Amino acid sequence: MKITRFLMRTQHAGWITLFVKTPIKPSCFHAALLRPPIPRICIGQEARWIHCGSTVYKDKPDNSDLSKLFENETKAKSLVTHDDLFERTAKDAKNKASFNRVVDVFNKQDIRRRGHVEFIYAALQKMPEFGVERDLAVYNKLLDVFPKEVFVPRNFIQRMFNHYPRQQECAVQVLEQMENYGIVPNVETKVLLVQIFGEKGHPVRKYQRLMYWLPKFKHINPFPVPFELTQDPIDLARFSLTRIANDLDAKITVYQYPSTDVTETGEEVTQPHIVGIQGPEQISLLAKHNPNRPVFVEGPFPLWLRKTCVQYYLLRADLVPPEERVQDEPDPELVGPNQCLFYPWQIDLDLSRDMGDDFSYDVEDVEEGPVYAMCMAGQGDQATLARWICGLQETNPILGRIPTVFRLESGSRELQTAADVQHDSGQNSQSGSEQEHIIEEEQLHSQRMKQ
Amino acid sequence: MAVSRVTLQTPAGVCGLFRRQLLQPSLSHPTILSTRSIYGEYKRPGQPPDKRWPWEKIRFDFSKGVEGIQKHFGLLKDEFVGRLRGPEGRPLLDHMLEQTLVQWEFRGPESLDQWVVSSDKEIGGQSEAYLKLGKNNTTCMLYGTLCSVPPRDGETRYSGYCTLRSKQTLLSFDRKRHFDWSTFNTLYIRFRGDGRPWMINISAEMYFSHNKNDIYSYFLYTRGGPYWQEVKIPFSKFFLSSRGRIQDDQHCLWLDKVNNIGFTLGDKADGPFQLEIDFIALCIDRAHTEEFAYEKFKRNPEVP
């Protein structure tokens, strides 16, 4: 056992200094020998040699004194940042394996883990580049870099006075990065933190806070979005359209799949995907639409799914002014003398309700035109959307008689497109049949609003 | 804190020091050392510090005085007359029997004056946020761009947020007006977002000045899409945080003296955002009997 040999050597070489510095009885030595080989300072200054790296131990002769030891340790050092380690090791691939390799290299190079705080800070910075910021095992491995049991406070004074504050702050930063990415730590993290810092330090308190709050808030989103969104545009469109349709009966139709054709002249013609959604309520509303009034294709509107922004288009109509509104005739079975009195549709009695039973809100309703359909397309130009309207006509034949106006946004100041979507302002209207169209030139809205 | 006054009244030595410093020519800021004068009132980061002498901050103006008298006494008269009609100026039956109360609605340009928009531009970031009225002057639209590049001042690590907060309502003579929501237990908001997760912050009037940054928060998840979204959040779900950090000692929001409500966005996704709010109301959910959603026991027990 190296440690026992070291102890014997100090016994021979620094015997006199040992006795001068601390009155140690031989029994203490025996106790030290019997203890497991954890680096602990028990024989004053000289026992620091126990913490030396194994390489230093091999090279040094037995009776070198302290100063020469330190000299040789610091001789070959130059100011090299820990970032360099990452750069050098990751020349080929930046992934979890290379990150782990860098951490292993650091661990092996010095048993005292000199500079581990700076190394851990650098590693936290580099995690997103290597793509491991969501990996709990990597965080545990990073916490493993701390030397164990050195920073555990041993009496109440050390506990009071923020023992090893830099290391505690570093561990709290590791946990804070975990919190930022929403990663719930596990029992291995707790065991590591307790081994390194003891039970009453700041890192363990932070861990306890994480374990209390993160599980409470992890699943409260009523419209959850998975972390790994599908890259396939059709599936993405399906997911987002079901989300915004707010109707479980709504049906999704893929009007066009993305494809690339090569024409005779050798040009590539790409067809973007068109995915639309329409619910039964919307179909019935559209069937009742007055053919003299136009319908508008508006877009693109942004929808955020975690960090990706997708664009969708709407088919909607303007609000019908109150004088032109057609009142639906209620079913004579529901109203009138033959109605069922147990579940009455309309009663002509003068029953007034108290304000104590009035649960409505004292605001005027925001009146908006109906939305008939929504779609997501690979390209936002008029041709693609016209193709969508043609597809919609199969389920809504009235669209053939209604003039359609394209109110497409073209590069507004706020809406920066996430994907490459081309816009152009709507100029002409498109109709499927021979009826007259109303051609409207829509001015560009300077700030796009969902209406 | 009366420390500044104490320094003036201490033995002549200190006063003499102060007077000697006055004789020096190029002094532009007060030199009385006290916590209050060093840190002063809250200084919005990004704005230059207010280095005027205290007497320079008072503005003596006759017309301003007359305006002030008219306005404040008018408000005082309204309050007295309103008390005759009922509590808070509303009829007593309304106050006793109402089950819902619309607190903020956006039905005209003057409703935007009640709100303050801020973003991380104040700390040197690059997000932008603007507020305007929606279509037909019936809704409010908060829109802008987020940018989570932190400002390079050496101490800020995260950035990229924007907030919409209601201004503190005032009674006559600039006294704070608190909302009394003790009859209600649920917050009801009708809004239309773009899929981003927002956070609702309610700040109540606290007794101690230590608690002046205490905010009760909860999340507001938007669905996105062209349809309006209505959400009911019971007040028992709001957790306590102070200056952005969740506190260990949690307690329920007290509804008898509520000051402001705010919406904030900071979801680390760079890009444009928009949130349209129709109205913010309160209601009672008789089926909701929960007093508080989080445990109140001591979370960091002392060493036994």
Side-chain angles (χ1 to χ4, degrees):
Chain A
M1 291 233 309
K2 285 184 185 155
I3 294 209
T4 49
R5 257 182 285 155
F6 227 157
L7 278 174
M8 294 300 212
R9 281 201 184 97
T10 51
Q11 211 176 346
H12 295 306
W15 189 260
I16 299 168
T17 45
L18 262 176
F19 271 133
V20 164
K21 284 216 169 162
T22 43
I24 301 289
K25 298 191 210 93
S27 58
C28 181
F29 273 113
H30 291 298
L33 290 177
L34 289 170
R35 236 182 281 165
I38 303 164
R40 271 218 191 241
I41 303 167
C42 56
I43 325 175
Q45 271 307 101
E46 286 76 29
R48 290 261 173 183
W49 292 7
I50 297 174
H51 295 264
C52 279
S54 43
T55 48
V56 175
Y57 166 76
K58 276 190 224 116
D59 293 336
K60 289 298 134 236
D62 299 333
N63 48 5
S64 61
D65 59 354
L66 228 56
S67 51
K68 248 200 203 168
L69 193 71
F70 282 0
E71 246 178 65
N72 287 318
E73 261 188 331
T74 53
K75 192 169 49 173
K77 280 210 177 118
S78 59
L79 197 61
V80 164
T81 56
H82 290 287
D83 287 359
D84 267 12
L85 256 178
F86 285 96
E87 296 300 319
R88 270 183 281 149
T89 325
K91 277 212 176 64
D92 40 5
K94 287 200 167 181
N95 53 17
K96 183 174 167 180
S98 51
F99 192 90
N100 284 343
R101 222 178 316 131
V102 174
V103 178
D104 288 332
V105 160
F106 181 83
N107 284 347
K108 284 208 190 55
Q109 109 193 353
D110 188 358
I111 190 161
R112 292 194 217 186
R113 311 278 167 90
R114 273 268 163 86
H116 60 271
V117 172
E118 287 87 6
F119 175 78
I120 293 181
Y121 277 128
L124 283 179
Q125 286 250 317
K126 292 279 177 189
M127 266 185 169
E129 288 176 21
F130 282 71
V132 291
E133 71 268 13
R134 293 201 181 281
D135 200 342
L136 182 58
V138 172
Y139 283 107
N140 285 338
K141 200 174 169 64
L142 210 52
L143 280 177
D144 208 13
V145 171
F146 282 107
K148 311 288 178 295
E149 297 198 19
V150 185
F151 308 136
V152 178
R154 274 182 284 170
N155 51 40
F156 71 101
I157 304 176
Q158 287 178 350
R159 267 195 294 271
M160 265 201 310
F161 283 100
N162 208 10
H163 202 49
Y164 282 101
R166 273 230 168 109
Q167 281 79 357
Q168 288 204 16
E169 173 70 27
C170 182
V172 166
Q173 286 306 312
V174 173
L175 290 169
E176 189 163 316
Q177 178 148 352
M178 266 204 258
E179 180 191 348
N180 272 340
Y181 286 107
I183 302 161
V184 182
N186 68 4
V187 75
E188 196 187 326
T189 324
K190 164 117 195 235
V191 164
L192 277 167
L193 288 175
V194 167
Q195 269 183 343
I196 302 168
F197 293 105
E199 279 126 8
K200 306 274 177 195
H202 289 294
V204 172
R205 288 282 179 242
K206 172 93 186 163
Y207 166 87
Q208 284 165 345
R209 280 177 203 126
L210 285 185
M211 290 309 284
Y212 182 76
W213 293 108
L214 282 180
K216 278 200 200 283
F217 297 143
K218 212 164 160 56
H219 300 289
I220 53 171
N221 190 350
F223 316 107
V225 179
F227 269 112
E228 283 99 26
L229 277 175
T230 50
Q231 296 301 317
D232 179 25
I234 305 245
D235 282 336
L236 191 62
R238 255 188 236 268
F239 174 73
S240 25
L241 285 175
T242 33
R243 184 190 165 93
I244 62 180
N246 197 26
D247 191 1
L248 287 172
D249 298 325
K251 288 218 174 36
I252 294 190
T253 357
V254 182
Y255 296 106
Q256 195 171 284
Y257 283 92
S259 61
T260 324
D261 293 324
V262 182
T263 59
E264 299 147 349
T265 49
E267 286 173 14
E268 278 201 356
V269 172
T270 37
Q271 266 189 333
H273 65 274
I274 308 176
V275 185
I277 191 170
Q278 200 180 28
E281 237 181 60
Q282 292 169 321
I283 296 179
S284 58
L285 273 176
L286 185 50
K288 285 189 254 170
H289 183 83
N290 184 358
N292 295 329
R293 309 191 64 82
V295 286
F296 303 98
V297 175
E298 292 178 0
F301 297 111
L303 172 71
W304 281 91
L305 302 164
R306 267 188 217 275
K307 303 263 167 89
T308 40
C309 182
V310 295
Q311 318 271 340
Y312 65 92
Y313 300 87
L314 292 181
L315 176 73
R316 48 128 34 111
D318 265 346
L319 195 59
V320 179
E323 47 280 0
E324 291 178 32
R325 257 173 242 180
V326 175
Q327 295 293 342
D328 281 336
E329 290 294 328
D331 196 356
E333 268 185 44
L334 294 172
V335 183
N338 290 332
Q339 62 173 309
C340 168
L341 285 171
F342 292 104
Y343 301 101
W345 193 260
Q346 210 176 2
I347 300 186
D348 245 348
L349 301 171
D350 189 17
L351 292 171
S352 62
R353 281 166 105 209
D354 193 57
M355 226 204 308
D357 291 323
D358 184 12
F359 298 100
S360 62
Y361 297 94
D362 190 17
V363 273
E364 306 110 37
D365 285 329
V366 172
E367 310 234 323
E368 289 189 344
V371 171
Y372 294 135
M374 292 168 271
C375 92
M376 285 179 52
Q379 275 173 331
D381 59 340
Q382 212 172 306
T384 329
L385 294 171
R387 174 83 189 75
W388 170 47
I389 303 287
C390 292
L392 267 181
Q393 256 186 275
E394 288 157 31
T395 36
N396 308 281
I398 197 174
L399 266 181
R401 290 182 280 133
I402 305 177
T404 322
V405 175
F406 286 78
R407 269 195 212 156
L408 296 174
E409 191 62 28
S410 108
S412 96
R413 259 169 273 138
E414 295 146 24
L415 280 181
Q416 299 153 27
T417 51
D420 295 319
V421 182
Q422 298 164 15
H423 310 279
D424 53 345
S425 52
Q427 307 288 330
N428 304 317
S429 65
Q430 176 98 3
S431 168
S433 82
E434 67 280 352
Q435 292 286 334
E436 55 172 348
H437 343 295
I438 304 172
I439 300 179
E440 274 182 26
E441 279 214 6
E442 195 62 36
Q443 296 298 323
L444 283 174
H445 297 266
S446 56
Q447 283 117 18
R448 194 70 208 166
M449 291 188 285
K450 282 184 283 193
Q451 283 148 14
Chain B
M1 284 205 23
V3 177
S4 54
R5 270 174 233 124
V6 164
T7 48
L8 278 176
Q9 284 155 18
T10 44
V14 178
C15 285
L17 185 65
F18 177 58
R19 262 184 248 120
R20 257 179 274 134
Q21 278 181 326
L22 253 187
L23 290 173
Q24 286 168 16
S26 57
L27 249 188
S28 59
H29 49 273
T31 51
I32 306 170
L33 289 177
S34 72
T35 323
R36 189 165 195 172
S37 63
I38 289 176
Y39 296 110
E41 301 299 324
Y42 173 69
K43 177 182 95 70
R44 264 236 129 106
Q47 262 160 24
D50 194 12
K51 286 191 181 157
R52 295 179 292 176
W53 289 103
W55 53 84
E56 287 173 2
K57 293 185 195 167
I58 317 173
R59 206 185 99 217
F60 288 107
D61 201 1
F62 188 67
S63 61
K64 178 187 163 214
V66 169
E67 263 174 44
I69 289 177
Q70 278 176 342
K71 173 175 150 212
H72 290 300
F73 277 100
L75 283 172
L76 191 65
K77 184 197 88 167
D78 288 338
E79 273 164 47
F80 274 112
V81 167
R83 276 309 273 275
L84 297 172
R85 215 180 325 142
E88 292 165 16
R90 292 182 306 139
L92 178 64
L93 270 183
D94 276 3
H95 182 82
M96 276 172 38
L97 293 176
E98 65 184 353
Q99 306 291 310
T100 62
L101 173 68
V102 178
Q103 192 67 59
W104 286 281
E105 56 177 2
F106 299 92
R107 299 286 185 266
E110 59 276 353
S111 56
L112 290 187
D113 289 334
Q114 295 170 0
W115 296 86
V116 176
V117 178
S118 59
S119 66
D120 69 351
K121 264 221 166 70
E122 293 152 3
I123 56 171
Q126 293 150 35
S127 323
E128 297 163 349
Y130 308 101
L131 186 68
K132 68 170 176 173
L133 271 182
K135 197 177 164 212
N136 289 340
N137 287 357
T138 44
T139 57
C140 94
M141 169 89 137
L142 175 68
Y143 63 97
T145 323
L146 276 193
C147 175
S148 57
V149 171
R152 300 185 62 151
D153 56 4
E155 51 172 0
T156 322
R157 275 179 299 145
Y158 312 111
S159 179
Y161 66 87
C162 77
T163 15
L164 172 71
R165 199 183 202 209
S166 72
K167 283 192 189 151
Q168 174 74 55
T169 41
L170 297 172
L171 292 172
S172 58
F173 301 102
D174 287 342
R175 292 175 289 151
K176 279 200 216 167
R177 177 174 162 225
H178 311 293
F179 298 118
D180 182 10
W181 293 347
S182 33
T183 38
F184 306 101
N185 68 357
T186 317
L187 186 68
Y188 179 96
I189 308 181
R190 186 160 191 259
F191 62 98
R192 192 159 58 177
D194 55 354
R196 289 211 197 222
W198 290 74
M199 195 160 203
I200 306 181
N201 304 321
I202 297 185
S203 88
E205 176 75 7
M206 295 298 189
Y207 190 76
F208 299 107
S209 64
H210 267 141
N211 300 339
K212 70 177 177 223
N213 297 117
D214 279 1
I215 287 179
Y216 297 85
S217 336
Y218 199 66
F219 305 96
L220 181 72
Y221 288 103
T222 54
R223 184 183 58 219
Y227 295 117
W228 285 96
Q229 191 180 347
E230 286 139 16
V231 97
K232 269 198 196 175
I233 307 178
F235 288 116
S236 59
K237 296 279 186 200
F238 282 79
F239 55 86
L240 174 67
S241 65
S242 174
R243 299 199 68 133
R245 296 279 176 185
I246 298 189
Q247 300 301 303
D248 285 340
D249 259 325
Q250 288 288 332
H251 61 268
C252 189
L253 162 66
W254 281 10
L255 291 161
D256 55 346
K257 283 198 161 80
V258 177
N259 281 344
N260 306 314
I261 196 171
F263 298 90
T264 173
L265 175 69
D267 66 341
K268 305 180 203 115
D270 295 346
F273 66 87
Q274 55 184 18
L275 178 74
E276 223 175 311
I277 308 180
D278 185 8
F279 63 88
I280 301 170
L282 304 148
C283 61
I284 321 179
D285 187 357
R286 303 273 179 204
H288 185 80
T289 46
E290 183 185 56
E291 284 175 12
F292 192 50
Y294 313 105
E295 278 89 359
K296 296 193 238 189
F297 53 74
K298 225 175 165 72
R299 228 75 59 61
N300 293 338
E302 287 100 7
V303 182

